[in-house]
Structures are given as structure tokens and as C-alpha cells.
Amino acid sequence: AKRSYSYDAVMRLNNIESCLIDMKKSRDEVIANIDQILEREKTKLVLEKEKNSSELRLSRYRAEIADQSKALEEDRQRINSLRENIRLRRVALEDARSRYQTGNEYLEESHKLLERARVDVLSEALFVTTSKLCARQKELVADLLTIYPIEQIQSESFSFKILGVPLPNSVFTGCDEDQVATALGFTCHLIHMLAYYLDVPLRFPMTPMSSKSIIRDPISTSLSNSRQFPLYSKGVDRFRFEYAVFLLNKNIEQ
């Protein structure tokens, strides 16, 4: 036979069931209250979360700003140091420029003094040298006068002899050709040596060879043949000989 429940057991079960129902209602109410509270606090929680996030970012920013400020301060100190170095270098440069300008002025003044002294020395040396040169030239010309004495022929006017050999003035007709060539050779050698001693470049170069002397005309454009002309008449064209005497007279005039 199946055992039946007693009254007390049934009542306890009934009470337990009632308690369970009440507890379920209480649970539902608590859940509902929690949902309401969460709903009410949702915005506040979001704001709190954002606040915490913002404070964290702000803390990082402040740390970065502190690092940047420190680096900026170091850069400022470096810039100030560089500015001070630049200022000192400018002062040193100005001082060096001033010393250079002063030294340059002294150098220019020294150059001027040296130039004046050099000019004075050179002028004095030039004067001494010129005096010695003139004296030496006089001696050499006197020696030439001794070697080739020129004397006037008393029996004829404007006629001379050189080293005792008569030298006609311009007309050679009837004169001894060898004697004339010898006199012209002496004259050619005398003029050649005078030009050499006095440093006078002759317009018509000569080649002294005693009685076979020659003279050259490098100037005239009308000459087509040989430009050398003999200062002797034997065995040559009369015109070439006379033209050679003409050129010799031009050298004498020079």
C-alpha cells in the first residue's frame, strides 16, 4: 500500500512553496530594482569611465609636456650658449679686423716709405750710373777720335780727311777709288762704333769691312732687288755706290 502524506508534511510543503514564491517575487523585485538603478546610473558610469580615461590621457599629456618643457629649456640653454659664443667671436673678429686695418695702414705707409726710399736710391743710383755712363761714353768717343782723327783739308773748304785719308765731300770724279773706299770704310766703322757706344739704333744698318764695307736699306719700299749697297765704287754700279754714300750721310745726320 502507498504511504500517504500527513497533514503536517502537507502544511510544511505548502509553506515551503509559499516561501519559494515569495523569494521568487523578492528576487524579481531585486533584479528589477538593480536594473532600474543601473539604468539610472548608466550615464554616470559612462561619464565616470570617460573621466578616468580623460584623466589618464591628461596625465600622459602632462608627462609629455614636462618632457618637452625640459627639452625646450635645454634647447634654450644651448641657444644662449651659442649666442654667447657668437658674440665672443664677433668681438674677436672686430678686434682682428681692427688689428688688420691698423697693420694694413702701417704696411701701406711702410710701402710708401720704402717706395720713396727705393725711388731716391734708384734716382741716386741712376744719376750716378748715368754720370758714369756719360763719362765712359766721352772716354770712348775720345778714343774713337784718337783712332780715327778727322782733320779739315786746308787747301779745300768743307773737305776732310779721316786717319790721314782724304774723303771727298760729294763728287768722286777723278778720285782714287781705293782711297775713297778706304775713307768710307773708316767712316762706316767710326759711325758704327759711335752708334754702339751711344746706344743709337741706326736706320740703315752697316757692316764695316774696311774698303769693302756695305750698308743696308730695310725701309724703302721701291727697292725690288738687293737691299745691300756697297761703300766702294770699283766693279759696282755707280748708282748703287752713290746711294750707299747717301745712306751713310743719313746715318751721320742721325
Side-chain angles (χ1 to χ4, degrees), residues 22-35:
D22 292 337
M23 288 178 65
K24 185 177 180 181
K25 289 181 179 179
S26 298
R27 185 200 64 184
D28 294 337
E29 290 177 356
V30 169
I31 290 173
N33 290 331
I34 290 174
D35 291 336

Side-chain angles (χ1 to χ4, degrees), residues 91-109:
V91 172
L93 182 61
E94 289 296 330
D95 185 48
R97 185 181 290 113
S98 177
R99 290 199 305 272
Y100 170 76
Q101 188 172 3
T102 304
N104 196 23
E105 292 176 356
Y106 287 156
L107 183 61
E108 289 180 358
E109 186 65 24

Side-chain angles (χ1 to χ4, degrees), residues 45-135:
L45 291 174
V46 172
L47 293 175
E48 188 68 23
K49 183 178 179 181
E50 291 179 356
K51 177 183 177 182
N52 294 333
S53 178
S54 298
E55 288 179 350
L56 182 60
R57 288 196 303 273
L58 181 61
S59 177
R60 287 201 303 270
Y61 291 156
R62 285 176 178 173
E64 291 179 1
I65 290 173
D67 294 338
Q68 293 294 332
S69 298
K70 183 178 180 180
L72 180 61
E73 185 63 26
E74 292 177 354
D75 291 339
R76 285 177 179 173
Q77 291 179 358
R78 248 190 333 267
I79 290 172
N80 292 333
S81 178
L82 291 174
R83 285 178 178 174
E84 182 64 18
N85 290 334
I86 291 173
R87 187 187 67 81
L88 295 177
R89 289 185 180 181
R90 284 179 178 173
V91 172
L93 182 61
E94 289 296 330
D95 185 48
R97 185 181 290 113
S98 177
R99 290 199 305 272
Y100 170 76
Q101 188 172 3
T102 304
N104 196 23
E105 292 176 356
Y106 287 156
L107 183 61
E108 289 180 358
E109 186 65 24
S110 299
H111 277 309
K112 291 180 181 178
L113 294 175
L114 180 62
E115 186 66 23
R116 286 198 293 267
R118 190 172 69 86
V119 169
D120 294 339
V121 171
L122 289 178
S123 299
E124 183 178 358
L126 180 62
F127 175 76
V128 174
T129 304
T130 304
S131 301
K132 291 181 179 179
L133 178 62
C134 290

Side-chain angles (χ1 to χ4, degrees), residues 193-206:
M193 295 307 296
L194 276 175
Y196 176 75
Y197 291 149
L198 301 179
D199 195 21
V200 177
L202 296 175
R203 295 188 182 91
F204 304 102
M206 301 181 298

